[in-house]
Amino acid sequence: MAMALKAVHVCDVPNLDQVPENAALALCSTRFRAGVNDDKICECNIPKFLVVGHRGNGMNMLQSPDPRMKSIKENSILSFNEAAKFSIDFIEFDVQVTKDDYPVIYHDNFVLHEEKGVIVENRVTELALAEFLSYGPQKHPGSEGKPLYRKTKDGRFFEWKVEKDAPLCTLEEAFHNVDQSVGFNVELKFDDFIVYKEEELSRILKAILKVVFENAKGRQILFSSFQPDAARLIRKLQSTYPVYFLTNGGSEIYTDIRRNSLDEAIKLSLENGLQGIVSEVKAVFRNPGAVGRIKESKLSLMTYGQLNNVPEVAYMQHLMGVEGVIVDLVKEISESVSDLTHAKEGEEKSMYGEEDGKKEVKAKPQFSKDELSFLLKLIPELMIQA
């Protein structure tokens, strides 16, 4: 069932047919302390519910009828700075390394373009930096790059057209040109279908770390990866920034069993001194007991996935103990979470007689018995559709 992705509230949804489809940083005693104690797992103490912009201001879905999913080129400086205008803590983006050892920001494993009517695929990691940057809009006026295409999971090709296009960029350019107030969630991107030797992983990760250490200058950083050995190795190579293991929690099954459940993610994180887990949100709702096990293990937990674009879903995770959400609809969800935070602060002040009656506070979501029952039925239905 194809549905447009948009933020919805329970009270706005009269029936399920109208419901659209479609870290949380534990850096010990202070909010984002640089440095991790190598002798023990860092105890996570998240002072607020974090919102992270997915690929900046949201990923592009070229086949979607929702214009917000084709508004700004994902993983671009333009998208990162647009997201930074809102009340978010981090932007998330994907980093790969070109064959001449330059870390670049790009999600897909392949760059697609058209030659003589045929779509040609070039692996990002097999391109030199200059060739990679020759695709898409160019930085210099008058220059014209090769048009980019994208392939959907069902095999369709779309020319990568968005309302506000922008050039491809390097990790170094992001450090120099993105608002310093927003942190970077650097996803270490690898191909699921390639078996990497540790020597190759080390070369790639060292190239990324070189750029990070030379350019971070106090910016909040966290690393994450679906690749278990990359997560393990980046933790081994440095102890300045936290490392989170990305998992879909069993939605897909891999030959590497470390990727197949939240319990395996907990095990991997504890064995390798990682600071947290970023799970696909549906895995958390299917296995809510895992949240408690993660917390008991002194690990932080964030989630990603299209369900996070529904404010009530983000709110329920807050109640469950999840510490942050990665979202596409940055404006809508950041505003919703901000309302929740302000309401909580207002309640606390009223308890102690501070500003009581002097300040209007937006109430946090209040659900009637019927609405709560509806919401509990709605989330599983959304999980099937998403």
Side-chain angles (χ1 to χ4, degrees):
M1 184 175 184
M3 292 176 142
L5 174 63
K6 64 185 239 185
V8 296
H9 291 271
V10 171
C11 58
D12 297 330
V13 184
N15 61 68
L16 288 175
D17 290 337
Q18 293 183 3
V19 178
E21 108 175 36
N22 295 329
L25 301 191
L27 309 171
C28 302
S29 58
T30 60
R31 176 135 198 254
F32 294 105
R33 191 178 83 178
V36 175
N37 186 335
D38 284 322
D39 297 326
K40 63 178 181 179
I41 300 292
C42 178
E43 270 196 43
C44 302
N45 181 23
I46 311 305
K48 59 174 288 191
F49 188 68
L50 302 183
V51 177
V52 180
H54 186 212
R55 305 183 201 172
N57 201 48
M59 69 175 176
N60 295 151
M61 292 180 63
L62 304 178
Q63 72 276 24
S64 172
D66 190 333
R68 292 174 296 182
M69 306 308 292
K70 298 172 283 190
S71 175
I72 303 175
K73 175 67 99 16
E74 69 174 40
N75 277 336
S76 67
I77 302 295
L78 182 64
S79 183
F80 299 155
N81 281 323
E82 181 65 23
K85 294 176 182 178
F86 303 104
S87 181
I88 66 169
D89 302 276
F90 282 77
I91 52 171
E92 178 271 351
F93 52 74
D94 312 274
V95 174
Q96 304 183 60
V97 174
T98 62
K99 71 176 183 180
D100 48 352
D101 289 336
Y102 287 93
V104 295
I105 298 177
Y106 199 79
H107 173 268
D108 301 353
N109 295 318
F110 295 88
V111 173
L112 276 59
H113 70 286
E114 185 180 18
E115 287 185 7
K116 299 178 181 179
V118 177
I119 301 297
V120 178
E121 301 184 354
N122 291 306
R123 186 177 288 277
V124 172
T125 55
E126 294 176 356
L127 297 173
L129 176 63
E131 186 175 1
F132 172 79
L133 294 176
S134 71
Y135 295 97
Q138 299 296 290
K139 298 179 178 68
H140 304 294
S143 299
E144 190 171 332
K146 306 169 192 172
L148 285 167
Y149 284 76
R150 212 157 194 197
K151 187 178 182 179
T152 60
K153 288 184 178 180
D154 60 7
R156 291 179 293 162
F157 292 98
F158 289 85
E159 187 172 355
W160 201 332
K161 289 184 177 180
V162 292
E163 183 181 342
K164 297 178 182 178
D165 212 341
L168 302 180
C169 67
T170 66
L171 178 59
E172 184 174 4
E173 287 174 321
F175 275 112
H176 292 168
N177 297 296
V178 175
D179 191 317
Q180 186 70 24
S181 68
V182 67
F184 285 176
N185 173 1
V186 179
E187 181 184 334
L188 309 167
K189 185 76 176 180
F190 294 91
D191 192 323
D192 289 340
F193 300 100
I194 293 178
V195 177
Y196 294 88
K197 294 181 179 179
E198 184 151 326
E199 180 181 357
E200 176 68 2
L201 287 175
S202 182
R203 178 189 68 81
I204 293 168
L205 297 178
K206 285 178 180 178
I208 294 170
L209 284 174
K210 182 176 184 293
V211 172
V212 170
F213 282 121
E214 289 178 356
N215 297 279
K217 297 179 180 177
R219 189 189 296 270
Q220 298 161 2
I221 306 290
L222 74 92
F223 293 110
S224 62
S225 186
F226 284 102
Q227 220 290 346
D229 291 315
R232 173 183 60 81
L233 190 54
I234 195 77
R235 178 67 181 89
K236 183 178 178 181
L237 290 171
Q238 60 85 45
S239 61
T240 302
Y241 302 111
V243 180
Y244 283 54
F245 181 54
L246 274 159
T247 178
N248 63 30
S251 299
E252 296 179 50
I253 300 301
Y254 299 87
T255 54
D256 189 334
I257 62 170
R258 296 174 294 178
R259 301 188 61 179
N260 289 342
S261 71
L262 284 172
D263 286 321
E264 286 291 340
I266 294 170
K267 181 181 177 183
L268 175 79
S269 299
L270 292 177
E271 288 177 348
N272 295 282
L274 309 188
Q275 282 67 51
I277 294 167
V278 182
S279 171
E280 214 286 333
V281 59
K282 290 183 287 186
V284 170
F285 284 120
R286 290 191 184 112
N287 187 10
V291 177
R293 295 194 293 277
I294 291 169
K295 305 290 281 187
E296 289 168 4
S297 300
K298 310 295 186 188
L299 296 169
S300 175
L301 174 63
M302 295 197 301
T303 66
Y304 72 93
Q306 295 182 31
L307 277 177
N308 281 349
N309 294 300
V310 179
E312 281 80 8
V313 172
Y315 176 60
M316 285 197 71
Q317 292 178 77
H318 172 68
L319 296 180
M320 292 169 67
V322 174
E323 291 151 314
V325 288
I326 298 174
V327 305
D328 295 298
L329 302 184
V330 172
K331 177 180 184 295
E332 291 86 343
I333 302 303
S334 63
E335 289 176 351
S336 174
V337 169
S338 179
D339 289 348
L340 169 64
T341 303
H342 292 158
K344 185 174 181 180
E345 290 173 352
E347 289 171 359
E348 290 173 352
K349 287 182 178 180
S350 294
M351 286 175 63
Y352 294 98
E354 297 180 30
E355 299 187 16
D356 194 14
K358 296 180 181 179
K359 183 178 180 180
E360 182 180 350
V361 179
K362 290 186 180 180
K364 64 183 179 181
Q366 297 291 329
F367 302 132
S368 69
K369 184 177 179 180
D370 288 343
E371 285 176 331
L372 183 58
S373 176
F374 173 74
L375 180 58
L376 292 173
K377 293 176 183 177
L378 169 65
I379 288 176
E381 188 71 19
L382 282 169
M383 288 166 59
I384 294 171
Q385 295 176 8

